[in-house]
């Protein structure tokens, strides 16, 4: 068996010990004589897996008791629609802080149900920084304020939680979920597709304050109605059972590693290693304001885009795949989520330095 250091933005690398545990339990989950893939979601074995995963997630994030934790389907893109359907609650608009392409998509999706007020966005959509807080034009009558703590494509991350007064704060945590501790009580709702930091594609975590439930628009599909999903313990229909199980294994791994404080220190260190290589090698450029650089998705360009293909080919040959930047922005992107070991980042840095030395 040979494994590479996979820098893909998502689906992304998973902890090796989780994959090995899944392999060991694949045919016979703990004496049940069947795979988790084959279990009824109503079976007590699967119920125990589901309940433990929720509890571990609550423990990791310190989720307060007045928040529901939901395991849904439809990805983060589904939540771009589910959030307005559930949270407009008789209001007509929501505020959007747009710091990248995903925030922009979320703002576009609300148009079917209400209005997006773009309260902040860099001039000319140059997504390389977070607009200063004092420039935001928040509407005190907005149903909620939406932002994207980490913009996966541009590599722009909030290192802080915005204060927005009484209006509920909603965050698309997809690509930075569980990468550091957060104060959940500051949010009305958090959502995250699993396939970056939490597990495989096909499951989406939603953490929502209870008082926001129960006022969904009448057109809301039942599977997107948070109240109905919560009342049915995320089993209104057949959930994404296997993905739920793997997320549970990832949550247990995070606990074994020491929890989110330890993980955050590790992530900060890995990111510093890579940004330092970029900043000290004139060959590479990162366009993001230093204070807003992502710990999870590190973007960089070479001096000439004509070198990109050769860089990527050499990286793949060196067992470092997944470095191609998103097609909308080009360049390179190294996604260094929780499961990327420091050795992977070091191998990338070594490869980058050598490439710059020979081609620079
Ligand atoms: C920040 C962010 N939001 C939303 C999405 C879309 O997620 P999904 O494919 O789960 O709908 C992504 C996917 O890359 C993302 O990075």
């Amino acid at each position: 068996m040979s494994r590479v250091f996979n820098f893909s933005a998502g689906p992304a690398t998973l902890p090796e010990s989780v994959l090995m545990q899944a392999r060991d339990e694949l045919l016979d989950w703990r004496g049940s004589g069947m795979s988790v893939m084959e279990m009824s979601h109503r079976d007590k074995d699967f119920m125990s897996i589901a309940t433990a995963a929720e509890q571990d997630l609550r423990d990791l994030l310190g989720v307060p008791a007045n928040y529901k934790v939901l395991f849904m389907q439809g990805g983060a893109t589904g939540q771009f629609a589910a959030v307005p359907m559930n949270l407009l609650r008789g209001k007509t608009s929501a505020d959007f802080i747009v710091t990248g392409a995903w925030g922009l998509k979320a703002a576009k999706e609300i148009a079917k149900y209400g209005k997006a007020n773009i309260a902040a966005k860099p001039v000319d959509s140059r997504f390389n920084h977070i607009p200063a807080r004092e420039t935001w034009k928040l509407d005190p009558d907005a149903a909620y304020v939406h932002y994207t703590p980490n913009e996966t494509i541009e590599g722009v991350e909030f290192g802080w939680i915005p204060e927005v007064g009484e209006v509920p704060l909603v965050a698309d945590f997809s690509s930075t979920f569980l990468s550091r501790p957060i104060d959940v009580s500051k949010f009305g709702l958090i959502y995250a597709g699993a396939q970056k930091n939490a597990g495989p594609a096909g499951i989406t975590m939603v953490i929502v304050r209870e008082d926001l439930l129960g006022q969904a628009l009448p057109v809301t599909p039942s599977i997107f109605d948070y109240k109905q999903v919560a009342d049915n313990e995320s089993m209104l229909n057949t959930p994404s059972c296997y993905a739920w199980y793997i997320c549970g294994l990832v949550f247990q791994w995070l606990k074994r590693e020491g929890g989110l404080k330890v993980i955050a220190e590790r992530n900060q260190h890995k990111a510093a290693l890579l940004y330092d290589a970029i900043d000290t090698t004139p060959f590479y450029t990162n366009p993001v304001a230093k204070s807003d650089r992502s710990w999870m998705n590190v973007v960089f360009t070479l001096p000439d885009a004509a070198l990109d293909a050769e860089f990527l080919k050499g990286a793949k040959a060196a067992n470092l795949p997944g470095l191609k930047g998103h097609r909308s922005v080009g360049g390179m992107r190294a996604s260094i989520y929780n499961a990327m070991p420091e050795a992977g980042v070091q191998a990338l840095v070594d490869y980058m330095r050598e490439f710059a030395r020979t081609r620079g």
Side-chain angles (χ1 to χ4, degrees):
M1 184 193 75
S2 84
R3 288 194 36 93
V4 298
F5 292 120
N6 173 12
F7 291 93
S8 165
T13 191
L14 285 166
E16 218 164 82
S17 66
V18 164
L19 295 173
M20 289 194 289
Q21 190 177 346
R23 176 198 62 193
D24 293 346
E25 296 179 341
L26 184 67
L27 292 178
D28 175 9
W29 184 81
R30 302 182 197 177
S32 65
M34 64 176 88
S35 170
V36 174
M37 251 180 273
E38 303 168 303
M39 279 175 195
S40 163
H41 57 296
R42 308 281 177 206
D43 189 278
K44 69 171 181 11
D45 280 344
F46 185 74
M47 296 295 280
S48 73
I49 291 170
T51 310
E54 177 179 337
Q55 191 54 53
D56 286 335
L57 181 57
R58 283 185 174 275
D59 295 346
L60 283 165
L61 282 170
V63 178
N66 63 324
Y67 284 72
K68 294 288 187 194
V69 174
L70 312 177
F71 291 83
M72 299 179 68
Q73 299 184 56
T77 305
Q79 295 305 315
F80 293 169
V83 168
M85 284 192 278
N86 284 273
L87 260 50
L88 277 171
R89 296 167 297 132
K91 303 213 174 200
T92 52
S93 72
D95 285 346
F96 285 77
I97 311 305
V98 179
T99 51
W102 290 112
L104 207 53
K105 281 201 173 164
K108 283 196 177 133
E109 187 70 11
I110 190 183
K112 294 169 194 161
Y113 316 99
K115 190 174 155 293
N117 169 41
I118 307 295
K121 181 156 111 21
V123 178
D124 300 333
S125 294
R126 280 174 53 83
F127 295 128
N128 58 8
H129 69 285
I130 296 165
R133 173 67 185 84
E134 57 276 14
T135 65
W136 298 7
K137 296 194 168 55
L138 295 176
D139 171 6
D141 207 34
Y144 56 90
V145 180
H146 181 283
Y147 82 113
T148 313
N150 184 62
E151 281 287 358
T152 323
I153 294 175
E154 296 84 359
V156 175
E157 182 163 14
F158 280 75
W160 45 284
I161 299 174
E163 279 298 336
V164 294
E166 292 304 303
V167 178
L169 183 62
V170 173
D172 171 5
F173 263 93
S174 294
S175 50
T176 188
F177 194 53
L178 301 172
S179 69
R180 59 175 93 189
I182 49 165
D183 181 353
V184 174
S185 72
K186 298 231 183 280
F187 296 88
L189 185 145
I190 285 168
Y191 64 92
Q195 67 273 20
K196 293 149 199 311
N197 242 351
I203 196 155
T204 313
M205 267 67 68
V206 176
I207 302 174
V208 56
R209 218 175 57 213
E210 279 170 357
D211 62 281
L212 298 172
L213 301 181
Q215 296 177 66
L217 296 176
V219 296
T220 308
S222 300
I223 53 155
F224 275 165
D225 182 331
Y226 297 140
K227 173 92 170 62
Q228 289 194 50
V229 175
D231 288 349
N232 288 276
E233 292 170 342
S234 302
M235 295 197 195
L236 185 70
N237 70 327
T238 316
S240 206
C241 301
Y242 199 75
W244 194 332
Y245 155 72
I246 298 287
C247 287
L249 296 186
V250 172
F251 302 156
Q252 284 166 14
W253 171 77
L254 286 168
K255 280 182 147 182
R256 282 199 304 277
E257 292 296 301
L260 299 190
K261 206 159 162 284
V262 171
I263 289 290
E265 281 163 15
R266 222 184 266 174
N267 285 332
Q268 186 174 22
H269 178 70
K270 286 186 296 180
L273 202 64
L274 192 41
Y275 285 118
D276 183 60
I278 293 167
D279 291 343
T280 57
T281 317
F283 190 79
Y284 300 109
T285 310
N286 169 285
V288 182
K290 284 201 171 151
S291 58
D292 307 331
R293 283 174 162 182
S294 172
W295 290 0
M296 298 282 102
N297 310 98
V298 178
V299 299
F300 58 94
T301 51
L302 279 53
D304 182 352
L307 288 169
D308 287 2
E310 189 188 344
F311 179 91
L312 290 166
K313 193 165 166 237
K316 191 145 188 255
N319 287 337
L320 307 168
L323 288 164
K324 195 172 191 319
H326 192 270
R327 58 190 180 281
S328 62
V329 292
M332 305 298 152
R333 170 176 53 178
S335 296
I336 51 173
Y337 299 121
N338 290 343
M340 173 60 67
E342 184 180 327
V345 179
Q346 190 58 56
L348 173 59
V349 165
D350 293 345
Y351 172 75
M352 287 168 67
R353 290 221 162 102
E354 183 59 15
F355 191 87
R357 194 183 64 77
T358 53
R359 306 296 190 288

